[in-house]
Amino acid sequence: MCGMLCAQKVLSGQMAARDFLFRPPEPSPDMLLSSPSESIYVGKTKYLGVPFFWNSKKLLNPHLCVVGTTGSGKSYFVKTFITRASLTLGSSALILDWAGEYADWVRGAGGQVVAFGEEGINLLDLAGSSPHARMTQVMDALRILTDISHSNAQCRLTEDAIEKAYVSAGFKMKAAAGDGRRRMPTLESVQRILERQAKRSADAAEAARRIKNLLLSSGGSFTASTLPLSSLLSGLVCVDLHSLPTETLRSLAGLSILQFVKESMRASQRAQSPQPHLFVVVDEAWKIASDERSDVVSIVREGRKYGFGLIVASQNPTDVHKSIFSNAGTMMLFRLTHAPERSYVRSSLSYSDFYEEESHSLSVGQALVHLEFSKPSACPRNFILRKVDGEELLVTLHLGGGGMDLEFERNELSSRLLSFGLTDAQTRSMLAEFERRSFSLSASEFSALLEKFGHSRASAISLLRELGASERDLLSALAPDSRHQGEAIAILKGDAATKGKKGKRR
Ligand SMILES: Nc1ncnc2c1ncn2[C@@H]1O[C@H](COP(=O)(O)OP(=O)(O)O)[C@@H](O)[C@H]1O
Ligand SMILES: [Mg+2]
């Protein structure tokens, strides 16, 4: 191409109107950069490539609100963030895991996983608070999670029954903290007290039925305190709630644990520290993130002075209570696809048309970040994060079924899938499927997923061969039942694909 450069006379106003003279609207580097020993590296800004080191000293508070559609990279960010927080700041993390998506990762990172359901909490256990305070908390939880607040009479009767249960177990309602030697009452005692009044009052019968249903559906998880509450607040701990059968029970467990966290926070005698020593992670817990009365909101209001940081992640920004949404020092907005959610976010945070436009095309791991600085600053508060630079654990993925057990390191399998011809997005979904299923897929699930991506059965078989599956493995994986062996042999014979190099066998 030949071209000619020539000088032209231009007015300074015209010159300024040309985009190349504008500094991209990103916060100034001194707000983004910090010493790696007192901050958490997240990734680089999109335009100037400035590394963003999250430093709570520069921010209004240590709380983070993370929103974005499913698969946009929220949990990956949270995992990366808390891993680095523990390495650089020595912070602990307590994860309330709604969907069971953190448990394997926490085990891999050397943390502790507590399965709610196997362990439980007696909702009336005082754990250091007064019977009156505990009664108020239990009633708040019931009001948030059930429709009991529609009936004042039922609320009053349940409250009275809880009080009677404490008093008949020998407690004084206003005593500062319970007497550790006494046996704690349980919800079963409350149910019995209500049932005794049921003949005289339809409301008491209804309130008793409500408690009975809760106890039946939770299978005893809320009557005996076996959850090691005091060990939840140090190290990396995941409370796996996903085996509880309903959203209400998961939320009830989450709320009870948060009540304990709030009380420990208020009782903590720690010297005020500028950096959080504990992050509490609440991911996809819309019922407890959206209610004013939930302790998530108390932690946001008081957390900073006690060194507690809250990380709330949600698919839908409107499920996060306004006081969390508008007070978090850091907002991470991953890709959002629905127009009402986008306009809600924009009206709460106010950012330019430019960023509105940009946020339409965010890919996985990219986010629009909004920071509230601790000191007034004239510099922009928003920027696009090019990508969360992740903290990958070395995870082993298993491909099994029949007698087969092949294992791969995550990156190795990723590059073999890409070189076989899967697209980036297909490879990512395949790896996400491994993650969802505790890092292990059967050969038939693996080939069903490949077929869903548009590959033929024959090419799925040839990929399995390339990954190291023997003919016998394939036969037993594809036809576990002898009735289908003829069919499977025909499929294997029909597959003329070359046999590739073998994978690592256990
Ligand atoms: N920054 C990133 N770099 C590399 N992979 C990522 C990144 N963010 C997300 N992923 C991958 O994308 C998939 C979905 O991410 P995830 O965090 O689970 O999404 P969400 O929690 O928003 O539903 C996961 O397999 C994850 O490993
Ligand atoms: Mg997630």
Side-chain angles (χ1 to χ4, degrees):
M1 189 180 80
C2 73
M4 206 166 64
L5 275 178
C6 64
Q8 287 182 351
K9 281 191 183 160
V10 209
L11 296 175
S12 57
Q14 289 172 316
M15 198 70 162
R18 294 192 179 174
D19 277 355
F20 64 87
L21 282 186
F22 284 106
R23 187 183 182 284
E26 290 184 351
S28 61
D30 56 317
M31 299 314 269
L32 297 173
L33 292 166
S34 283
S35 151
S37 62
E38 57 163 25
S39 60
I40 299 166
Y41 172 64
V42 179
K44 296 199 179 85
T45 65
K46 180 171 172 183
Y47 298 107
L48 297 176
V50 180
F52 168 43
F53 285 83
W54 184 93
N55 183 347
S56 79
K57 287 191 211 159
K58 293 186 178 175
L59 298 167
L60 191 61
N61 58 51
H63 310 308
L64 294 96
C65 183
V66 186
V67 297
T69 182
T70 306
S72 57
K74 301 181 296 295
S75 304
Y76 184 94
F77 162 71
V78 174
K79 291 171 190 170
T80 297
F81 187 87
I82 54 183
T83 311
R84 290 197 185 131
S86 94
L87 293 174
T88 62
L89 311 178
S91 318
S92 299
L94 168 63
I95 304 161
L96 299 182
D97 186 6
W98 248 243
E101 61 176 320
Y102 286 86
D104 286 321
W105 174 81
V106 166
R107 277 190 206 99
Q112 180 198 356
V113 177
V114 185
F116 205 100
E118 283 166 30
E119 310 292 344
I121 293 183
N122 170 10
L123 285 191
L124 300 197
D125 200 331
L126 295 174
S129 53
S130 72
H132 184 264
R134 176 62 73 219
M135 179 190 74
T136 313
Q137 288 169 349
V138 172
M139 287 309 298
D140 276 349
L142 292 177
R143 284 193 188 96
I144 294 172
L145 301 174
T146 70
D147 58 0
I148 195 169
S149 49
H150 294 318
S151 162
N152 286 338
Q154 279 183 44
C155 287
R156 193 174 35 74
L157 284 162
T158 311
E159 209 167 277
D160 287 350
I162 297 177
E163 182 167 341
K164 279 191 188 121
Y166 277 120
V167 172
S168 53
F171 291 93
K172 289 197 172 65
M173 288 309 281
K174 295 277 182 178
D179 179 343
R181 285 160 308 171
R182 290 190 198 284
R183 221 181 131 90
M184 299 286 168
T186 65
L187 278 187
E188 280 159 346
S189 347
V190 177
Q191 183 200 338
R192 279 194 297 272
I193 294 169
L194 287 166
E195 270 166 359
R196 282 203 289 273
Q197 303 166 14
K199 284 206 183 85
R200 281 172 282 129
S201 148
D203 280 318
E206 186 52 27
R209 193 194 54 82
R210 196 185 287 280
I211 303 282
K212 186 173 159 195
N213 283 346
L214 190 82
L215 288 170
L216 284 177
S217 58
S218 63
S221 305
F222 294 109
T223 47
S225 289
T226 54
L227 195 79
L229 285 174
S230 52
S231 70
L232 296 185
L233 304 186
S234 62
L236 174 61
V237 181
C238 165
V239 181
D240 183 357
L241 300 167
H242 91 285
S243 58
L244 287 171
T246 63
E247 178 67 23
T248 302
L249 293 175
R250 281 191 282 277
S251 304
L252 189 56
L255 280 173
S256 318
I257 295 168
L258 284 170
Q259 283 164 358
F260 163 75
V261 171
K262 182 187 75 180
E263 271 149 32
S264 312
M265 175 178 88
R266 288 181 176 165
S268 75
Q269 301 293 319
R270 271 175 185 267
Q272 286 206 4
S273 101
Q275 300 284 12
H277 59 84
L278 176 77
F279 284 100
V280 179
V281 178
V282 181
D283 192 342
E284 304 294 3
W286 64 271
K287 273 197 182 186
I288 66 173
S290 60
D291 200 290
E292 169 81 49
R293 295 161 293 188
S294 151
D295 281 320
V296 170
V297 174
S298 328
I299 296 175
V300 164
R301 293 206 175 117
E302 303 167 41
R304 164 148 224 151
K305 69 175 178 231
Y306 298 108
F308 279 56
L310 181 82
I311 306 180
V312 177
S314 173
Q315 292 176 35
N316 185 346
T318 55
D319 285 345
V320 180
H321 191 266
K322 276 201 298 301
S323 67
I324 304 173
F325 202 79
S326 45
N327 288 321
T330 310
M331 294 286 313
M332 301 286 300
L333 308 169
F334 288 86
R335 189 167 137 81
L336 281 171
T337 42
H338 294 124
E341 293 166 6
R342 299 168 61 87
S343 58
Y344 173 76
V345 169
R346 195 166 176 203
S347 65
S348 312
L349 297 179
S350 73
Y351 43 82
S352 62
D353 289 342
F354 173 73
Y355 276 129
E356 167 60 14
E357 191 72 13
E358 287 282 294
S359 68
H360 279 271
S361 53
L362 295 173
S363 55
V364 175
Q366 290 194 322
L368 168 57
V369 183
H370 175 90
L371 302 174
E372 285 296 339
F373 297 119
S374 51
K375 294 193 184 116
S377 163
C379 78
R381 292 176 295 169
N382 302 314
F383 67 93
I384 304 268
L385 186 74
R386 197 181 283 172
K387 185 167 185 279
V388 171
D389 277 336
E391 201 63 55
E392 300 270 355
L393 285 178
L394 267 184
V395 286
T396 308
L397 308 177
H398 292 269
L399 193 53
M404 169 177 9
D405 189 3
L406 303 174
E407 61 176 44
F408 307 90
E409 201 277 300
R410 190 189 152 97
N411 291 340
E412 176 203 352
L413 184 62
S414 164
S415 56
R416 290 177 76 169
L417 294 178
L418 287 168
S419 59
F420 183 78
L422 265 67
T423 63
D424 272 350
Q426 291 172 344
T427 305
R428 253 199 324 273
S429 327
M430 181 65 92
L431 296 177
E433 199 57 29
F434 270 99
E435 256 172 59
R436 258 194 294 282
R437 298 178 182 242
S438 305
F439 305 109
S440 174
L441 280 187
S442 71
S444 49
E445 287 163 341
F446 183 81
S447 68
L449 207 59
L450 285 170
E451 284 176 51
K452 208 173 109 195
F453 295 153
H455 295 268
S456 66
R457 191 79 198 271
S459 63
I461 291 171
S462 108
L463 174 57
L464 282 164
R465 280 199 185 110
E466 254 191 62
L467 293 174
S470 67
E471 297 308 294
R472 189 196 295 181
D473 287 343
L474 286 171
L475 195 58
S476 50
L478 298 175
D481 166 350
S482 59
R483 279 174 302 151
H484 297 111
Q485 287 216 341
E487 196 186 324
I489 290 169
I491 295 174
L492 290 175
K493 279 194 178 146
D495 168 39
T498 49
K499 296 179 187 182
K501 51 186 180 215
K502 298 278 174 196
K504 189 167 44 131
R505 295 181 66 85
R506 273 212 313 186

